Amino acid sequence: MARRSRHRLLLLLLRYLVVALGYHKAYGFSAPKDHQVVTAIEYQEVILACKYPKKTISSRLEWKKLGRSVSFVYYQQALQGDFKDRAEMIDFSIRIKNVTRTDAGKYRCEVSAPSEQGQNLEEDTVTLEVLVAPAVPTCQVPNSALSGTVVELRCQDKEGNPAPEYTWFKDGVPLSENPKLGSQSTNSSYTMNTKSGTLQFNTVSKLDSGEYSCEARNSVGHRRCPGKRMQVDDLNVSGIIAAVVVVALVVSVCGLGVCYAQRKGYFSKETSFQKSSSASKATTMSENDFKHTKSFII
C-alpha cells in the first residue's frame, strides 16, 4: 500500500510538470529584461524604447504607466490621455515631444504575438526621470539687526530636481563657503550651508551690512532671488542710559509733588470735606426719619 501511494504521488508530480511546461510553451512568458532608466530634461523630448526583437503584423502592443493605479499610455493602437497631442509611436517605442515633471515614473510595454509554440508575451520596463531646473528661490533676509547678535538668512527652492545647491551673494559678490578665505571686508563668523540654503552669522557686525541675494543651482539650470538689504547697527548704549535717566527724573518729580501735596494738607482737606459731606447727609436722613415717624404717630 505504501509503495502504491508513492507511485501515485510521483505520477501526480510528473503530470504537474508536463502541464506547467506545456503552459509555458503555449503562452511563452519571458523573463523580464534589464531594467532601463531614461533621463530627460523638462520640456524637451525623450524616447521610451520597448526592446522587442521583431515586429509583425499580428503583434499586439500595450504601454502602461505603473504606480498606485495603472493607466494606459498606448492601448488598442492609439495613444491615450494627454499623450495624444504630445507623443508619437516609433515602432514599439514612444517619443514624447514635451516632457513634464508629471511624466516621471515607471512604464511597461507588453507585446504579445503568435508563435509556433502558441501565444508569446514579452514585456519591458522603463523608468523615466525628469530633471527640472530650479525656480526663483524664496529668500528671507532681515531688514535690520543689532551688532553682536545671531542672524540667520534662509534660501529655499521646492521645484528643482535634482535638489539644488545654494550660494549666497553680498553686494553681487559670491560668499565663500569657507569664511576664512573671503575678503577682509567680510565678517568671518558666518556659516553657509550649501545644501539647506542657510547663511548664519554667529556674531553679526556692521561689516555685514549690505545687499544679499541667493542663487539655487543644479545640473539643469540656476535662478537667483532679488537682492535685499540688511542694515546692522551698534547697540546705542548712550541712548538707553539717557532714556533711563529721563524716566528716573520723571518718577522723582512725581514723588516730590505727592510729598509737597501731603505737607500742604491737600489730601487732608479733601478727606475732611468728604467727612463733613457724609455727616450732613446722615443728619438730613435722620431728620427726615424723625418727621416721618412723628406724622405716623399723629
Side-chain angles (χ1 to χ4, degrees):
M1 294 293 291
R3 289 181 180 178
R4 289 181 180 178
S5 61
R6 289 177 183 174
H7 285 303
R8 288 178 180 177
L9 287 173
L10 290 173
L11 288 172
L12 288 172
L13 288 172
L14 288 172
R15 287 179 182 177
Y16 175 79
L17 290 172
V18 169
V19 171
L21 290 172
Y23 182 82
H24 178 77
K25 288 181 179 180
Y27 290 94
F29 283 97
S30 64
K33 300 182 180 180
D34 294 336
H35 187 77
Q36 301 181 63
V37 178
V38 179
T39 303
I41 298 176
E42 190 176 31
Y43 306 127
Q44 296 187 8
E45 70 174 41
V46 67
I47 295 178
L48 305 181
C50 184
K51 296 180 179 179
Y52 186 70
K54 294 181 181 180
K55 180 180 180 182
T56 61
I57 300 174
S58 57
S59 298
R60 180 182 175 183
L61 171 67
E62 290 181 0
W63 272 95
K64 299 174 182 177
K65 185 178 182 182
L66 310 179
R68 293 183 179 178
S69 61
V70 179
S71 58
F72 281 103
V73 178
Y74 183 81
Y75 180 67
Q76 293 183 348
Q77 299 182 351
L79 289 163
Q80 305 295 315
D82 66 338
F83 289 99
K84 294 179 182 179
D85 302 324
R86 57 188 185 92
E88 64 179 0
M89 299 301 300
I90 304 175
D91 292 335
F92 288 157
S93 302
I94 299 178
R95 175 175 173 260
I96 305 175
K97 302 175 184 178
N98 188 16
V99 179
T100 64
R101 65 193 70 184
T102 57
D103 295 331
K106 187 179 290 186
Y107 294 80
R108 185 175 67 206
C109 71
E110 300 174 357
V111 181
S112 61
S115 64
E116 295 178 357
Q117 293 81 13
Q119 192 74 11
N120 186 42
L121 177 63
E122 292 197 19
E123 62 182 34
D124 196 12
T125 305
V126 183
T127 296
L128 174 61
E129 294 182 354
V130 180
L131 305 181
V132 182
V136 176
T138 302
C139 298
Q140 297 179 4
V141 180
N143 295 325
S144 60
L146 289 177
S147 179
T149 60
V150 178
V151 178
E152 185 177 81
L153 284 64
R154 298 179 183 179
C155 179
Q156 188 177 24
D157 165 72
K158 296 182 179 180
E159 297 188 16
N161 182 41
E165 292 191 352
Y166 302 94
T167 303
W168 279 95
F169 292 77
K170 178 190 175 186
D171 297 328
V173 179
L175 293 175
S176 174
E177 191 173 352
N178 186 354
K180 294 181 180 180
L181 300 178
S183 62
Q184 296 180 355
S185 61
T186 304
N187 183 5
S188 62
S189 69
Y190 69 83
T191 303
M192 183 168 59
N193 191 326
T194 59
K195 301 296 183 182
S196 64
T198 58
L199 175 64
Q200 180 173 303
F201 293 93
N202 298 322
T203 52
V204 71
S205 70
K206 295 186 71 175
L207 290 174
D208 299 319
S209 296
E211 185 178 83
Y212 288 85
S213 61
C214 172
E215 181 182 87
R217 178 185 293 269
N218 63 8
S219 59
V220 186
H222 57 90
R223 299 292 295 273
R224 191 188 299 187
C225 67
K228 297 181 180 179
R229 180 166 181 80
M230 179 178 71
Q231 182 63 39
V232 181
D233 296 316
D234 291 331
L235 188 64
N236 191 355
V237 179
S238 59
I240 295 174
I241 294 174
V244 171
V245 170
V246 169
V247 171
L249 288 174
V250 171
V251 172
S252 301
V253 170
C254 292
L256 292 173
V258 171
C259 293
Y260 180 79
Q262 286 181 347
R263 289 182 181 181
K264 291 293 183 177
Y266 292 121
F267 293 114
S268 59
K269 290 180 179 180
E270 183 179 358
T271 306
S272 60
F273 175 76
Q274 290 178 353
K275 288 182 179 180
S276 61
S277 61
S278 59
S280 62
K281 287 181 181 178
T283 305
T284 306
M285 289 176 64
S286 60
E287 288 179 356
N288 291 334
D289 292 339
F290 177 76
K291 290 179 180 180
H292 179 72
T293 306
K294 186 175 180 181
S295 61
F296 178 75
I297 294 172
I298 295 172

